[in-house]
PDB file of all heavy atoms in Angstrom:
ATOM      1  N   GLN A   2      10.610   5.751  14.200  1.00 96.00           N
ATOM      2  CA  GLN A   2      10.890   4.398  14.666  1.00 96.00           C
ATOM      3  C   GLN A   2       9.750   3.985  15.604  1.00 96.00           C
ATOM      4  O   GLN A   2       9.332   4.789  16.391  1.00 96.00           O
ATOM      5  CB  GLN A   2      12.250   4.242  15.337  1.00 96.00           C
ATOM      6  CG  GLN A   2      13.406   4.412  14.399  1.00 96.00           C
ATOM      7  CD  GLN A   2      13.675   5.948  14.134  1.00 96.00           C
ATOM      8  OE1 GLN A   2      13.674   6.742  14.997  1.00 96.00           O
ATOM      9  NE2 GLN A   2      13.907   6.191  12.916  1.00 96.00           N
ATOM     10  N   LEU A  10       3.228 -15.429  25.731  1.00 98.00           N
ATOM     11  CA  LEU A  10       2.415 -16.668  25.631  1.00 98.00           C
ATOM     12  C   LEU A  10       1.398 -16.628  26.747  1.00 98.00           C
ATOM     13  O   LEU A  10       1.710 -16.470  27.975  1.00 98.00           O
ATOM     14  CB  LEU A  10       3.377 -17.905  25.819  1.00 98.00           C
ATOM     15  CG  LEU A  10       2.712 -19.236  25.976  1.00 98.00           C
ATOM     16  CD1 LEU A  10       1.956 -19.603  24.707  1.00 98.00           C
ATOM     17  CD2 LEU A  10       3.771 -20.340  26.291  1.00 98.00           C
ATOM     18  N   VAL A  11       0.130 -16.770  26.355  1.00 98.00           N
ATOM     19  CA  VAL A  11      -0.955 -16.789  27.346  1.00 98.00           C
ATOM     20  C   VAL A  11      -1.884 -17.907  27.017  1.00 98.00           C
ATOM     21  O   VAL A  11      -1.814 -18.495  25.918  1.00 98.00           O
ATOM     22  CB  VAL A  11      -1.708 -15.451  27.394  1.00 98.00           C
ATOM     23  CG1 VAL A  11      -0.859 -14.333  27.849  1.00 98.00           C
ATOM     24  CG2 VAL A  11      -2.335 -15.151  26.047  1.00 98.00           C
ATOM     25  N   LEU A  17      -3.651  -9.601  27.215  1.00 98.00           N
ATOM     26  CA  LEU A  17      -2.405  -9.027  26.978  1.00 98.00           C
ATOM     27  C   LEU A  17      -2.577  -7.556  26.607  1.00 98.00           C
ATOM     28  O   LEU A  17      -3.567  -7.144  26.056  1.00 98.00           O
ATOM     29  CB  LEU A  17      -1.633  -9.684  25.848  1.00 98.00           C
ATOM     30  CG  LEU A  17      -0.884 -10.957  26.178  1.00 98.00           C
ATOM     31  CD1 LEU A  17      -0.344 -11.520  24.865  1.00 98.00           C
ATOM     32  CD2 LEU A  17       0.212 -10.805  27.201  1.00 98.00           C
ATOM     33  N   LEU A  19      -0.473  -4.671  24.524  1.00 98.00           N
ATOM     34  CA  LEU A  19       0.619  -4.308  23.718  1.00 98.00           C
ATOM     35  C   LEU A  19       0.900  -2.845  23.828  1.00 98.00           C
ATOM     36  O   LEU A  19      -0.104  -2.041  23.861  1.00 98.00           O
ATOM     37  CB  LEU A  19       0.378  -4.720  22.273  1.00 98.00           C
ATOM     38  CG  LEU A  19       0.065  -6.208  22.015  1.00 98.00           C
ATOM     39  CD1 LEU A  19      -0.092  -6.416  20.542  1.00 98.00           C
ATOM     40  CD2 LEU A  19       1.045  -7.138  22.644  1.00 98.00           C
ATOM     41  N   SER A  26      12.262  12.635  14.909  1.00 92.00           N
ATOM     42  CA  SER A  26      12.358  14.049  15.083  1.00 92.00           C
ATOM     43  C   SER A  26      10.952  14.697  15.418  1.00 92.00           C
ATOM     44  O   SER A  26      10.003  14.039  15.208  1.00 92.00           O
ATOM     45  CB  SER A  26      12.868  14.656  13.769  1.00 92.00           C
ATOM     46  OG  SER A  26      11.894  14.561  12.742  1.00 92.00           O
ATOM     47  N   VAL A  27      10.987  15.818  15.948  1.00 90.00           N
ATOM     48  CA  VAL A  27       9.762  16.485  16.315  1.00 90.00           C
ATOM     49  C   VAL A  27       8.796  16.633  15.132  1.00 90.00           C
ATOM     50  O   VAL A  27       7.629  16.416  15.163  1.00 90.00           O
ATOM     51  CB  VAL A  27      10.072  17.848  16.982  1.00 90.00           C
ATOM     52  CG1 VAL A  27       8.737  18.612  17.222  1.00 90.00           C
ATOM     53  CG2 VAL A  27      10.835  17.689  18.286  1.00 90.00           C
ATOM     54  N   ALA A  35      -2.537   8.624  11.960  1.00 96.00           N
ATOM     55  CA  ALA A  35      -3.138   7.382  12.420  1.00 96.00           C
ATOM     56  C   ALA A  35      -1.992   6.416  12.947  1.00 96.00           C
ATOM     57  O   ALA A  35      -0.931   6.296  12.316  1.00 96.00           O
ATOM     58  CB  ALA A  35      -3.888   6.669  11.372  1.00 96.00           C
ATOM     59  N   ALA A  37      -1.775   2.362  14.332  1.00 97.00           N
ATOM     60  CA  ALA A  37      -2.583   1.178  14.209  1.00 97.00           C
ATOM     61  C   ALA A  37      -1.772  -0.095  14.583  1.00 97.00           C
ATOM     62  O   ALA A  37      -0.572  -0.059  14.707  1.00 97.00           O
ATOM     63  CB  ALA A  37      -3.131   1.038  12.810  1.00 97.00           C
ATOM     64  N   LEU A  49      -5.425  -5.566   9.345  1.00 97.00           N
ATOM     65  CA  LEU A  49      -5.587  -4.537  10.326  1.00 97.00           C
ATOM     66  C   LEU A  49      -6.428  -5.066  11.534  1.00 97.00           C
ATOM     67  O   LEU A  49      -7.445  -5.690  11.342  1.00 97.00           O
ATOM     68  CB  LEU A  49      -6.338  -3.327   9.737  1.00 97.00           C
ATOM     69  CG  LEU A  49      -6.586  -2.130  10.666  1.00 97.00           C
ATOM     70  CD1 LEU A  49      -5.305  -1.463  10.956  1.00 97.00           C
ATOM     71  CD2 LEU A  49      -7.642  -1.182   9.937  1.00 97.00           C
ATOM     72  N   MET A  53      -6.328   4.076  15.275  1.00 97.00           N
ATOM     73  CA  MET A  53      -6.861   5.279  15.865  1.00 97.00           C
ATOM     74  C   MET A  53      -6.200   6.499  15.274  1.00 97.00           C
ATOM     75  O   MET A  53      -4.864   6.489  15.188  1.00 97.00           O
ATOM     76  CB  MET A  53      -6.682   5.231  17.436  1.00 97.00           C
ATOM     77  CG  MET A  53      -7.098   6.560  18.110  1.00 97.00           C
ATOM     78  SD  MET A  53      -6.791   6.453  19.942  1.00 97.00           S
ATOM     79  CE  MET A  53      -8.356   5.660  20.388  1.00 97.00           C
ATOM     80  N   GLY A  57      -8.857  10.664  17.806  1.00 94.00           N
ATOM     81  CA  GLY A  57      -9.564   9.655  18.652  1.00 94.00           C
ATOM     82  C   GLY A  57     -10.481   8.772  17.935  1.00 94.00           C
ATOM     83  O   GLY A  57     -11.061   7.843  18.553  1.00 94.00           O
ATOM     84  N   ASP A  63     -13.491  -6.842  12.598  1.00 97.00           N
ATOM     85  CA  ASP A  63     -14.716  -7.507  13.211  1.00 97.00           C
ATOM     86  C   ASP A  63     -14.284  -8.445  14.323  1.00 97.00           C
ATOM     87  O   ASP A  63     -14.926  -8.574  15.362  1.00 97.00           O
ATOM     88  CB  ASP A  63     -15.530  -8.196  12.154  1.00 97.00           C
ATOM     89  CG  ASP A  63     -16.267  -7.289  11.239  1.00 97.00           C
ATOM     90  OD1 ASP A  63     -16.432  -6.123  11.635  1.00 97.00           O
ATOM     91  OD2 ASP A  63     -16.666  -7.748  10.116  1.00 97.00           O
ATOM     92  N   LYS A  66     -13.620  -6.395  17.639  1.00 98.00           N
ATOM     93  CA  LYS A  66     -14.673  -5.640  18.238  1.00 98.00           C
ATOM     94  C   LYS A  66     -15.190  -6.356  19.493  1.00 98.00           C
ATOM     95  O   LYS A  66     -15.442  -7.516  19.504  1.00 98.00           O
ATOM     96  CB  LYS A  66     -15.854  -5.426  17.225  1.00 98.00           C
ATOM     97  CG  LYS A  66     -15.467  -4.457  16.121  1.00 98.00           C
ATOM     98  CD  LYS A  66     -16.619  -4.346  15.085  1.00 98.00           C
ATOM     99  CE  LYS A  66     -16.257  -3.459  13.974  1.00 98.00           C
ATOM    100  NZ  LYS A  66     -17.272  -3.356  12.938  1.00 98.00           N
ATOM    101  N   ARG A  68     -13.538  -7.068  22.129  1.00 98.00           N
ATOM    102  CA  ARG A  68     -12.486  -7.711  22.885  1.00 98.00           C
ATOM    103  C   ARG A  68     -11.239  -6.868  23.053  1.00 98.00           C
ATOM    104  O   ARG A  68     -10.517  -6.916  24.015  1.00 98.00           O
ATOM    105  CB  ARG A  68     -12.142  -9.053  22.214  1.00 98.00           C
ATOM    106  CG  ARG A  68     -13.253 -10.103  22.130  1.00 98.00           C
ATOM    107  CD  ARG A  68     -12.734 -11.418  21.652  1.00 98.00           C
ATOM    108  NE  ARG A  68     -12.118 -11.344  20.344  1.00 98.00           N
ATOM    109  CZ  ARG A  68     -10.860 -11.853  20.122  1.00 98.00           C
ATOM    110  NH1 ARG A  68     -10.194 -12.442  21.072  1.00 98.00           N
ATOM    111  NH2 ARG A  68     -10.370 -11.677  18.905  1.00 98.00           N
ATOM    112  N   PHE A  69     -10.958  -6.162  21.954  1.00 98.00           N
ATOM    113  CA  PHE A  69      -9.702  -5.351  21.967  1.00 98.00           C
ATOM    114  C   PHE A  69     -10.028  -3.873  22.036  1.00 98.00           C
ATOM    115  O   PHE A  69     -11.072  -3.402  21.477  1.00 98.00           O
ATOM    116  CB  PHE A  69      -8.935  -5.582  20.580  1.00 98.00           C
ATOM    117  CG  PHE A  69      -8.371  -6.969  20.438  1.00 98.00           C
ATOM    118  CD1 PHE A  69      -8.633  -7.997  21.408  1.00 98.00           C
ATOM    119  CD2 PHE A  69      -7.689  -7.328  19.320  1.00 98.00           C
ATOM    120  CE1 PHE A  69      -8.138  -9.275  21.209  1.00 98.00           C
ATOM    121  CE2 PHE A  69      -7.218  -8.589  19.165  1.00 98.00           C
ATOM    122  CZ  PHE A  69      -7.440  -9.607  20.075  1.00 98.00           C
ATOM    123  N   ASN A  78       3.600   9.866  22.649  1.00 93.00           N
ATOM    124  CA  ASN A  78       3.846   9.180  21.416  1.00 93.00           C
ATOM    125  C   ASN A  78       3.690   7.607  21.514  1.00 93.00           C
ATOM    126  O   ASN A  78       4.547   6.933  21.022  1.00 93.00           O
ATOM    127  CB  ASN A  78       5.237   9.534  20.812  1.00 93.00           C
ATOM    128  CG  ASN A  78       5.456  10.991  20.674  1.00 93.00           C
ATOM    129  OD1 ASN A  78       4.551  11.750  20.252  1.00 93.00           O
ATOM    130  ND2 ASN A  78       6.649  11.506  20.946  1.00 93.00           N
ATOM    131  N   GLN A  83      -5.133  -3.158  24.172  1.00 98.00           N
ATOM    132  CA  GLN A  83      -5.575  -4.036  25.194  1.00 98.00           C
ATOM    133  C   GLN A  83      -6.368  -5.172  24.575  1.00 98.00           C
ATOM    134  O   GLN A  83      -7.386  -4.899  23.899  1.00 98.00           O
ATOM    135  CB  GLN A  83      -6.452  -3.276  26.180  1.00 98.00           C
ATOM    136  CG  GLN A  83      -7.015  -4.142  27.323  1.00 98.00           C
ATOM    137  CD  GLN A  83      -5.911  -4.643  28.281  1.00 98.00           C
ATOM    138  OE1 GLN A  83      -5.014  -3.916  28.573  1.00 98.00           O
ATOM    139  NE2 GLN A  83      -6.037  -5.929  28.608  1.00 98.00           N
ATOM    140  N   SER A  86      -9.976 -11.629  26.447  1.00 98.00           N
ATOM    141  CA  SER A  86     -10.615 -12.870  25.902  1.00 98.00           C
ATOM    142  C   SER A  86      -9.884 -13.482  24.741  1.00 98.00           C
ATOM    143  O   SER A  86     -10.545 -13.748  23.730  1.00 98.00           O
ATOM    144  CB  SER A  86     -12.110 -12.560  25.578  1.00 98.00           C
ATOM    145  OG  SER A  86     -12.781 -12.116  26.715  1.00 98.00           O
ATOM    146  N   THR A  88      -8.072 -15.783  22.090  1.00 98.00           N
ATOM    147  CA  THR A  88      -8.344 -17.167  21.623  1.00 98.00           C
ATOM    148  C   THR A  88      -7.087 -17.655  20.791  1.00 98.00           C
ATOM    149  O   THR A  88      -6.269 -16.786  20.378  1.00 98.00           O
ATOM    150  CB  THR A  88      -9.563 -17.253  20.718  1.00 98.00           C
ATOM    151  OG1 THR A  88      -9.278 -16.656  19.480  1.00 98.00           O
ATOM    152  CG2 THR A  88     -10.735 -16.540  21.372  1.00 98.00           C
ATOM    153  N   PRO A  89      -6.941 -18.905  20.595  1.00 97.00           N
ATOM    154  CA  PRO A  89      -5.814 -19.403  19.721  1.00 97.00           C
ATOM    155  C   PRO A  89      -5.733 -18.737  18.351  1.00 97.00           C
ATOM    156  O   PRO A  89      -4.686 -18.623  17.745  1.00 97.00           O
ATOM    157  CB  PRO A  89      -6.025 -20.928  19.636  1.00 97.00           C
ATOM    158  CG  PRO A  89      -6.793 -21.223  20.943  1.00 97.00           C
ATOM    159  CD  PRO A  89      -7.660 -20.058  21.179  1.00 97.00           C
ATOM    160  N   TYR A  96       2.084  -6.045  14.684  1.00 98.00           N
ATOM    161  CA  TYR A  96       2.943  -4.926  14.224  1.00 98.00           C
ATOM    162  C   TYR A  96       2.300  -3.606  14.606  1.00 98.00           C
ATOM    163  O   TYR A  96       1.057  -3.377  14.345  1.00 98.00           O
ATOM    164  CB  TYR A  96       3.189  -5.006  12.720  1.00 98.00           C
ATOM    165  CG  TYR A  96       3.917  -6.229  12.289  1.00 98.00           C
ATOM    166  CD1 TYR A  96       3.266  -7.383  11.921  1.00 98.00           C
ATOM    167  CD2 TYR A  96       5.334  -6.230  12.247  1.00 98.00           C
ATOM    168  CE1 TYR A  96       3.994  -8.508  11.476  1.00 98.00           C
ATOM    169  CE2 TYR A  96       6.046  -7.370  11.865  1.00 98.00           C
ATOM    170  CZ  TYR A  96       5.314  -8.466  11.396  1.00 98.00           C
ATOM    171  OH  TYR A  96       6.013  -9.609  11.033  1.00 98.00           O
ATOM    172  N   THR A 100       1.019   6.297  10.145  1.00 96.00           N
ATOM    173  CA  THR A 100       0.906   7.015   8.861  1.00 96.00           C
ATOM    174  C   THR A 100       0.603   8.458   9.100  1.00 96.00           C
ATOM    175  O   THR A 100       0.033   8.822  10.099  1.00 96.00           O
ATOM    176  CB  THR A 100      -0.179   6.372   7.970  1.00 96.00           C
ATOM    177  OG1 THR A 100      -0.265   7.175   6.762  1.00 96.00           O
ATOM    178  CG2 THR A 100      -1.503   6.416   8.658  1.00 96.00           C
ATOM    179  N   ARG A 101       1.019   9.273   8.206  1.00 95.00           N
ATOM    180  CA  ARG A 101       0.704  10.702   8.271  1.00 95.00           C
ATOM    181  C   ARG A 101      -0.739  10.917   7.831  1.00 95.00           C
ATOM    182  O   ARG A 101      -1.293  12.073   8.014  1.00 95.00           O
ATOM    183  CB  ARG A 101       1.674  11.561   7.419  1.00 95.00           C
ATOM    184  CG  ARG A 101       1.601  11.148   5.975  1.00 95.00           C
ATOM    185  CD  ARG A 101       2.734  11.832   5.229  1.00 95.00           C
ATOM    186  NE  ARG A 101       2.625  13.262   5.173  1.00 95.00           N
ATOM    187  CZ  ARG A 101       3.425  14.049   4.498  1.00 95.00           C
ATOM    188  NH1 ARG A 101       4.395  13.578   3.744  1.00 95.00           N
ATOM    189  NH2 ARG A 101       3.317  15.356   4.511  1.00 95.00           N
ATOM    190  N   GLY A 115       6.835  -1.147  12.897  1.00 96.00           N
ATOM    191  CA  GLY A 115       7.689  -1.590  13.947  1.00 96.00           C
ATOM    192  C   GLY A 115       8.147  -3.022  13.693  1.00 96.00           C
ATOM    193  O   GLY A 115       7.746  -3.636  12.624  1.00 96.00           O
ATOM    194  N   GLY A 117       7.503  -5.817  15.301  1.00 94.00           N
ATOM    195  CA  GLY A 117       6.536  -6.883  15.568  1.00 94.00           C
ATOM    196  C   GLY A 117       6.774  -7.478  16.945  1.00 94.00           C
ATOM    197  O   GLY A 117       7.917  -7.594  17.426  1.00 94.00           O
ATOM    198  N   VAL A 120       2.502 -12.761  19.734  1.00 98.00           N
ATOM    199  CA  VAL A 120       1.428 -13.159  20.684  1.00 98.00           C
ATOM    200  C   VAL A 120       1.066 -14.604  20.391  1.00 98.00           C
ATOM    201  O   VAL A 120       0.735 -14.928  19.246  1.00 98.00           O
ATOM    202  CB  VAL A 120       0.202 -12.229  20.527  1.00 98.00           C
ATOM    203  CG1 VAL A 120      -0.950 -12.796  21.338  1.00 98.00           C
ATOM    204  CG2 VAL A 120       0.532 -10.829  20.939  1.00 98.00           C
TER     205      VAL A 120
END
Side-chain angles (χ1 to χ4, degrees):
Q2 292 78 46
L10 172 63
V11 297
L17 278 175
L19 305 184
S26 68
V27 173
L49 180 69
M53 176 179 276
D63 288 342
K66 291 178 182 176
R68 298 189 303 130
F69 295 1
N78 303 323
Q83 177 67 42
S86 303
T88 74
Y96 297 91
T100 178
R101 60 190 296 184
V120 171

